[in-house]
Amino acid sequence: MSKYFIIPAAITLITFAGSSITLAQEETGNRYEARRVASENGQQNPTVPQALVMKLRKANDASIELAKMVQDKTDHADIRQLTQTIARDHQILNRELEKLTSDARWADDQGKSRVVAGQSPQRVPEELCKIADQACSNALKMTKEMFAQYSGQDLDMAFLGHQIVAHTMLLSELQAIRDVGPGSLQPFSEQAIDKVQKHLKRARQLAKRFEDEQDQGKDSQS
């Protein structure tokens, strides 16, 4: 087993801290957007669909930022192509989320969710939002610091290891949204699943190729 595949184990802990506390708490503009959404709806905290959108936006932003960081540092053509694809696709997904939340049907759905069986809709607790938001910011910061320490093949393998872990977790979340989440997000989740699966497949292919090449190099030296 290549030493580079020790990296995803550490990243799993980092990413899990940011993503698994809850599906509903991450957002592009840190806490500002959560407050803005809450203010627009006359409520202190976002509804579950709103919080899921915030989470997905921040996940996309993290993917874009890390891909662009590695794109500027890698010397490998295949890695550069993957970073370009990831950055482009997650930018597209963020634009699709913007279209979704700007649609009148989305506003209607959120309005209808305010009263269910005479009760207030479920909302994400403010303290949990803050904890998860901070955890996610910490995860991105630590990952960037780790990438900054590598160059060459070490950087390429660290990036691939991270993408395998991060996209596996994002894929599982998108599938859960599709299967049991709000109906308003299911069409988006289908589109996002397709892109994330392609990223994951390509990252796995490149990681396997790099590891095979490394093993062949060891065999030729022995």
Side-chain angles (χ1 to χ4, degrees), residues 26-29 33 36-37 50 52-62 64 90 93-94 97-99 101-102:
E26 304 157 55
E27 204 286 320
T28 305
E33 180 68 8
R36 182 186 67 79
V37 171
Q50 290 166 345
L52 284 170
V53 167
M54 291 188 281
K55 185 269 176 220
L56 292 168
R57 282 175 175 163
K58 187 152 190 175
N60 289 330
D61 282 345
I64 294 165
H90 284 277
L93 290 175
N94 264 350
L97 284 172
E98 184 65 28
K99 290 179 184 177
T101 56
S102 298

Side-chain angles (χ1 to χ4, degrees), residues 57-71:
R57 282 175 175 163
K58 187 152 190 175
N60 289 330
D61 282 345
S63 292
I64 294 165
E65 186 170 351
L66 292 172
K68 288 184 175 181
M69 177 182 180
V70 174
Q71 181 179 329

Side-chain angles (χ1 to χ4, degrees), residues 36 59 72 75 90 102 107 115 134 156 186-187 198 208 218:
R36 182 186 67 79
D72 291 338
D75 296 321
H90 284 277
S102 298
V115 179
Q134 186 62 54
D156 296 338
Q186 288 177 6
K198 290 177 181 177
K208 182 64 167 60
K218 289 179 181 179

Side-chain angles (χ1 to χ4, degrees), residues 21-22 27 59-60 95 104 144 152 156 177 187 189 219:
I21 291 176
T22 178
E27 204 286 320
N60 289 330
R95 288 197 292 270
K144 290 173 65 177
D156 296 338
I177 293 172
S189 66
D219 292 340

Side-chain angles (χ1 to χ4, degrees), residues 85-97:
T85 299
I86 289 173
R88 181 197 66 220
D89 285 353
H90 284 277
Q91 287 170 338
I92 290 172
L93 290 175
N94 264 350
R95 288 197 292 270
E96 290 301 316
L97 284 172

